[in-house]
Amino acid sequence: MSTKKMGRPPSDKPKSRTIEIRVDQEIMNKLDASAEKLNTTRSDIVRKGIEKVYDDLQK
């Protein structure tokens, strides 16, 4: 019998850090609408936003 572990394979970039923010209802509605429209998660939308701001600052 194999001794391989079952489950997901290890990630190249594990997401081990957590941030918590406070937002008003309007921002939460925009975040949820964006995630639904792009068929992704809230976290992915926030990551994309951070990348966009960072890229804009590098210009």
Side-chain angles (χ1 to χ4, degrees), residues 9 17 29-30 33 39 42 48 50 58:
R17 306 292 286 192
N29 291 342
K30 290 178 181 180
N39 196 29
R42 289 176 177 171
K48 287 178 184 179
I50 292 168
Q58 299 304 307

Side-chain angles (χ1 to χ4, degrees), residues 9-58:
S11 173
D12 292 337
K13 292 184 180 180
K15 295 168 183 70
S16 59
R17 306 292 286 192
T18 302
I19 60 172
E20 186 174 329
I21 61 169
R22 295 171 60 94
V23 297
D24 59 23
Q25 190 60 47
E26 181 180 0
I27 295 295
M28 185 60 80
N29 291 342
K30 290 178 181 180
L31 179 59
D32 287 338
S34 299
E36 185 175 335
K37 182 91 170 178
L38 295 172
N39 196 29
T40 189
T41 63
R42 289 176 177 171
S43 295
D44 284 338
I45 298 294
V46 172
R47 285 186 201 103
K48 287 178 184 179
I50 292 168
E51 289 292 337
K52 182 175 182 355
V53 169
Y54 184 82
D55 290 345
D56 290 349
L57 290 172
Q58 299 304 307

